[in-house]
């Protein structure tokens, strides 16, 4: 039987695969082939989207989007490798934009909303890109590396005065 | 009939946890539901980037109040994976026993919330009392009732005190002897069946599309359990089953939880029997103030009481993590599945369905 | 009812009944809520002290603010507090409402809760044990008896300052001021 790693390498160009750990395959690819790669893996039986994450590489001025897939237990895919596939791609940090994958995996919806809110990545095709967690607007999305929480706390919360009680006039 | 918008929570008797759902209702029927999380957002993953690897332990356990132990475990597992640390044999067993105790305690808390919601106050009181007995065990072992911070990279903080195994067995026997009572007053009660059967039903295909894990998928007949698929700690050393149910409604989810609890208790007995009697419980790690972990990335997962818990962790070779992201089971349960499962149900069943999925709000918000 | 307190009951029945029937708001504001179910069920039994969760803030007179307060929750807390009828008592539960606790550098949790609503007493610790809740409640009894639990009066008197602080966080609030 062909290994999953070889299958991916045969079908897709521009992939760098690293299977350093047991049961984990890290696939680095360009942003055009992410959706087709996810589609292909879903058909292979890797139909559980565990996580969509984002890493801010501020020095390279890039965001790294991370999709983690694993497999549910199906009888028809008995021989598949029980592995986690971690698909990574880089997008530019300026006006960050990517395709939404809700059509493929329904549970990507809140993850994409979260990344939109905390990193400021715009997902094209997402039906309700509105704030998920935050109540007030931050100038920089707070999970970006250039957002300094300690400075923000000093500027924002420390400036609110303590209540001074009005003396009773007797 | 007139359509109305109804805010369910955060301040609402039917809401457990600081969470809110906006419902569009017509009469008593729910037409549309929109989850509205974020009341507990503290930005953990950002705060963790500013603290050293060891300093993060007090932080991570606060991600989930009901069951902090599995979050500690997953973070320790992530650090071990990056730094290449092995856990000694006895440490592995202690971790397993400790996590199973935490699972039982957490399920009892869930049972409290569920029984309370349906008005079974007697059962709710029992469940909370029995959970408290387990908290006493934790207190003896770790010094704290709720946040234990017991697991550390390379093992656990300290060995079991003398005679602790016997105490675990005794406490579990005490709780286990009440299982027939639980059954006759709650699980086999016609009232419970009437309130829970057919409520909040999802199909297997929907569950797979929306990323259901834990008892939500076990209630549909799939034996998806990370302890079996990718054994960690000492779960591959003993023989145990993954209990499943068929129907995928609130009733079968609750029964899956009960069976899971019973299976955990049996597993603890087996683990105690098989545990090596002597040996180290942790591997030494470098000075935490100067501990640099080589750069790399890892994804680790374990099975918490609500399902698959994952951690994506990136190191850049520094004193602090570069990025951490927790994949928590309540995230897709509470935000994707709940919104679908509530449509067409009755307003009175919102809390019922929500707790049957065991949605824990702080875990969603982080 | 304690027989020795009959004199007190006759002198100030209102104060005594406020003291011994503290109805707590059912609002899980933070992780401190995990110690509330044990304390209201059989083992610790808060009803011994007259505490019982009330279904509605309008029927409650005790507000336990259990744990850290995020910016989104603070809005809900202010609204809930303003809905409660006087006399009302607030207790900050856990370290986080006191000074931010371990979230001192978090961008989304407020640091000192008493800048936004008045607090009558604090319970330190993370988590405070159920016994700590009961100690706090007996202290609150003393405060009520000595007319020192006057947070709601303070709120009315200094409402302008409180409202200004609240508005500093959110820009503007979408409900009218409670007091003129």
């Amino acid at each position: 039987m062909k290994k999953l790693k070889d299958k991916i390498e045969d079908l897709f160009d521009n992939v760098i695969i690293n299977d350093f750990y047991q049961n984990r395959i890290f696939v680095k690819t360009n942003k055009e082939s992410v959706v087709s790669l996810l589609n292909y893996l879903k058909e292979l039986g890797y139909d559980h989207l565990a996580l969509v994450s984002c890493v801010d590489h501020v020095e390279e001025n890039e965001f790294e989007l991370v999709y983690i897939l694993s497999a549910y237990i199906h009888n028809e895919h008995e021989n598949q490798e029980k592995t986690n596939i971690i698909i990574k791609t880089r997008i530019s940090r300026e006006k960050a934009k990517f395709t939404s994958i809700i059509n493929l995996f329904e549970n990507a919806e809140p993850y994409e909303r979260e990344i939109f809110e905390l990193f400021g990545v715009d997902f094209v095709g997402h039906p309700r890109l509105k704030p998920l967690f935050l109540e007030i607007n931050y100038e920089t999305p707070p999970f970006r590396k250039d957002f300094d929480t300690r400075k923000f706390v000093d500027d924002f919360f420390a400036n609110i005065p303590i209540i001074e009680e009005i003396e009773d006039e007797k | 009939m007139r359509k109305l918008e109804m805010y369910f929570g955060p301040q609402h008797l039917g809401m457990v946890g600081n969470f809110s759902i906006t419902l569009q209702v017509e009469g008593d029927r729910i037409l549309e539901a929109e989850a509205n999380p974020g009341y507990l957002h503290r930005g953990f993953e950002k705060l963790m980037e500013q603290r050293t690897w060891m300093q993060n332990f007090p932080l991570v356990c606060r991600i989930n109040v009901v069951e902090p132990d599995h979050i500690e475990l997953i973070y320790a597992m992530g650090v071990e994976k990056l730094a290449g640390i092995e856990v000694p044999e006895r440490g592995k067993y202690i971790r397993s026993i400790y996590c199973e105790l935490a699972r039982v305690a957490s399920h009892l808390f869930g049972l409290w919330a569920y029984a309370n919601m349906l008005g079974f106050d007697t059962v709710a009181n029992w469940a909370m009392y029995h959970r408290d007995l387990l908290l006493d065990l934790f207190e003896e072992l770790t010094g704290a009732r709720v946040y234990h911070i017991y697991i550390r990279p390379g093992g656990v903080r300290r060995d079991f005190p003398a005679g602790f195994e016997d105490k675990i067995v005794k406490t579990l026997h005490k709780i286990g002897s009440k299982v027939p009572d639980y059954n006759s007053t709650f699980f086999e009660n016609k009232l419970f069946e009437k309130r829970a059967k057919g409520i909040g039903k999802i199909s297997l295909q929907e569950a797979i599309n929306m990323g259901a894990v834990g008892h939500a998928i076990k209630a549909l007949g799939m034996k998806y359990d990370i302890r079996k698929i990718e054994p960690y700690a000492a779960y591959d050393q003993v023989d145990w089953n993954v209990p499943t149910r068929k129907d995928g409604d609130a009733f079968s989810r609750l029964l899956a939880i009960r069976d899971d609890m019973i299976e955990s208790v049996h597993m603890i007995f087996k683990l105690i029997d098989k545990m090596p009697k002597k040996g180290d419980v942790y591997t030494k790690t470098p000075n935490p103030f100067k501990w640099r972990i080589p750069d790399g990335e890892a994804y680790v997962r374990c099975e918490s009481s609500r399902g698959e818990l994952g951690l994506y962790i990136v190191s850049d070779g520094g004193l602090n993590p570069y990025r951490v992201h927790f994949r928590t089971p309540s995230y897709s349960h509470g935000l994707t599945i709940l919104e679908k499962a509530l449509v067409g149900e009755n307003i009175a069943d919102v809390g019922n369905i929500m707790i049957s999925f065991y949605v824990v709000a702080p875990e969603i918000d982080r | 009812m304690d027989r020795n307190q009959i004199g007190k009951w006759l002198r100030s029945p209102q104060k005594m009944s406020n003291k011994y029937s503290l109805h707590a708001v059912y609002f899980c504001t933070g992780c401190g809520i995990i110690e509330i179910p044990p304390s209201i069920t059989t083992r610790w039994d808060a009803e011994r002290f007259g505490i019982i969760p009330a279904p509605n803030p309008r029927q409650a007179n005790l507000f336990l603010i259990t744990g850290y307060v995020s910016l989104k929750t603070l809005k809900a807390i202010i609204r809930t507090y303003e809905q409660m009828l006087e006399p009302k008592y607030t207790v900050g539960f856990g370290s986080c409402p006191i000074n931010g606790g371990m979230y001192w550098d978090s961008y989304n949790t407020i640091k000192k809760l008493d800048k936004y609503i008045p607090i009558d007493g604090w319970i330190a610790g993370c988590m405070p044990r159920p016994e700590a809740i009961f100690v706090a409640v007996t202290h609150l009894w003393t405060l009520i008896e000595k007319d020192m639990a006057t947070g709601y009066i303070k709120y009315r008197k200094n409402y302008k300052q409180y409202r200004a602080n609240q508005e500093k966080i959110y820009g503007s609030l979408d409900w009218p001021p409670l007091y003129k």
Side-chain angles (χ1 to χ4, degrees), chain B residues 13-16 110-124 185-197 199 250-251 254 346-356, chain C residues 26:
Chain B
L13 256 193
M15 182 57 72
V16 172
L111 187 58
W112 166 78
Y114 193 80
N116 208 17
M117 189 62 55
L118 294 194
F120 287 92
D121 276 359
T122 315
V123 182
T185 36
F186 187 67
F187 291 108
E188 285 160 13
N189 193 332
K190 273 273 174 270
L191 279 171
F192 165 57
E193 208 180 302
K194 277 243 153 76
R195 278 302 301 274
K197 231 178 193 161
I199 299 291
F251 184 73
L254 256 284
N346 212 316
I347 296 179
D349 283 328
V350 175
N352 183 347
I353 294 168
M354 193 180 146
I355 302 170
S356 79
Chain C
Y26 193 92

Side-chain angles (χ1 to χ4, degrees), chain A residues 21 24 48 50 53-54 56 72-73 84 88 106-107 110 114 128 130 132 142 144-145 147 149, chain B residues 34 37 46 49-50 210-212 223-224 230 297 299 301 308 322-323 325 327 331 339-340 366:
Chain A
Y21 299 119
R24 299 283 183 274
H48 175 48
S53 183
C54 181
D56 184 5
Y72 279 118
I73 304 164
N84 275 78
K88 303 189 296 175
E106 264 180 78
N107 62 329
E114 185 188 327
R128 47 168 188 181
K130 55 179 186 180
L132 185 67
R144 290 195 181 193
K145 286 276 173 191
F147 178 87
T149 60
Chain B
E34 192 183 347
K46 180 82 182 178
E49 288 166 13
Q50 299 166 358
M210 297 189 283
K223 293 195 172 189
Y224 184 76
E230 197 183 286
E297 59 191 321
Y299 179 71
R301 51 182 182 163
E308 179 190 348
Y322 190 73
R323 167 85 167 121
H325 193 159
R327 181 253 184 269
Y331 201 82
E339 283 180 0
K340 290 268 155 51
R366 305 190 306 278

Side-chain angles (χ1 to χ4, degrees), chain B residues 10-19 36-44 46-47 50-51 58-59 62 65-66 109 112 116 124-126 128-129 131-133 135-136 139 145-147 362, chain C residues 25-35 37-44 53-57 68-73 76 80 83 102-109 126-127 129-131:
Chain B
Q11 198 279 313
H12 192 283
L13 256 193
M15 182 57 72
V16 172
N18 202 346
F19 189 69
N36 181 13
Y39 288 93
L40 298 169
H41 180 70
R42 291 145 278 175
F44 270 118
K46 180 82 182 178
L47 299 186
Q50 299 166 358
R51 287 160 168 76
L59 265 186
R62 268 118 182 134
V65 205
V66 179
F109 191 86
W112 166 78
N116 208 17
N125 274 302
W126 288 348
M128 198 37 77
Y129 172 65
R131 175 177 172 270
D132 236 73
L133 296 182
L135 293 193
D136 283 353
E139 201 179 350
R145 267 166 68 85
V146 181
Y147 295 133
Chain C
V25 184
Y26 193 92
F27 185 11
C28 323
T29 49
C31 46
I33 201 66
I34 198 81
E35 286 292 29
S39 11
I40 58 175
T41 50
T42 41
R43 187 164 188 205
W44 305 99
N56 186 329
Y68 56 89
V69 179
S70 73
L71 294 180
K72 207 169 181 175
T73 309
T80 311
Q83 278 175 23
M102 65 194 326
Y103 311 116
W104 60 275
D105 57 348
S106 165
Y107 56 87
N108 206 38
T109 60
C126 183
M127 298 278 123
R129 300 172 55 87
E131 291 98 319

Side-chain angles (χ1 to χ4, degrees), chain B residues 58-71:
Chain B
L59 265 186
V60 285
C61 58
R62 268 118 182 134
I63 289 175
N64 186 347
V65 205
V66 179
E67 192 198 20
D69 316 284
H70 277 98
I71 303 256

Side-chain angles (χ1 to χ4, degrees), chain A residues 5 17-27, chain B residues 81-84 294-298:
Chain A
K5 186 187 165 191
I17 297 183
N18 155 15
D19 51 355
F20 182 62
Y21 299 119
Q22 199 190 352
N23 290 337
R24 299 283 183 274
I25 297 179
F26 290 85
V27 184
Chain B
K81 194 112 191 177
L82 282 176
D295 83 44
E297 59 191 321

Side-chain angles (χ1 to χ4, degrees), chain A:
Chain A
M1 214 193 98
K2 228 175 177 183
K3 277 198 146 183
L4 182 69
K5 186 187 165 191
D6 303 328
K7 277 187 200 168
I8 297 173
E9 265 174 353
D10 288 353
L11 263 168
F12 293 90
D13 318 327
N14 305 322
V15 287
I16 304 164
I17 297 183
N18 155 15
D19 51 355
F20 182 62
Y21 299 119
Q22 199 190 352
N23 290 337
R24 299 283 183 274
I25 297 179
F26 290 85
V27 184
K28 224 175 186 179
T29 179
N30 58 359
K31 59 181 175 183
E32 284 80 24
S33 37
V34 169
V35 177
S36 53
L37 183 59
L38 286 169
N39 211 345
Y40 170 70
L41 288 169
K42 194 186 174 188
E43 274 161 25
L44 273 187
Y46 294 92
D47 50 356
H48 175 48
L49 178 78
L51 184 68
V52 182
S53 183
C54 181
V55 186
D56 184 5
H57 291 280
V58 69
E59 276 130 40
E60 288 124 78
N61 204 21
E62 273 174 335
F63 284 130
E64 189 170 66
L65 289 175
V66 184
Y67 297 86
I68 300 177
L69 294 184
S70 68
Y72 279 118
I73 304 164
H74 298 290
N75 296 331
E76 64 261 36
H77 301 293
E78 232 171 31
N79 296 322
Q80 72 188 8
E81 296 166 43
K82 281 174 187 166
T83 177
N84 275 78
I85 307 162
I86 294 123
I87 298 157
K88 303 189 296 175
T89 188
R90 296 274 180 121
I91 55 172
S92 161
R93 216 159 161 276
E94 314 293 330
K95 288 191 182 156
K97 214 175 176 185
F98 200 67
T99 330
S100 170
I101 57 155
I102 300 177
N103 306 333
L104 277 175
F105 297 98
E106 264 180 78
N107 62 329
E109 197 254 339
Y111 287 116
E112 286 179 354
R113 249 171 102 185
E114 185 188 327
I115 293 170
F116 162 72
E117 183 177 36
L118 300 178
F119 286 93
V121 180
D122 194 10
F123 284 92
V124 181
H126 193 292
R128 47 168 188 181
L129 268 189
K130 55 179 186 180
L132 185 67
F133 292 150
L134 304 179
E135 180 70 28
I136 62 169
N137 287 324
Y138 299 91
E139 268 175 37
T140 322
F143 268 47
R144 290 195 181 193
K145 286 276 173 191
D146 48 8
F147 178 87
D148 187 350
T149 60
R150 290 180 185 178
K151 193 168 165 287
F152 179 82
V153 168
D154 286 346
D155 292 349
F156 190 71
F157 292 107
N159 278 340
I160 291 167
I162 293 169
I163 305 289
E164 284 165 30
E165 282 181 44
I166 302 166
E167 290 291 314
D168 281 337
E169 290 167 24
K170 277 176 189 169

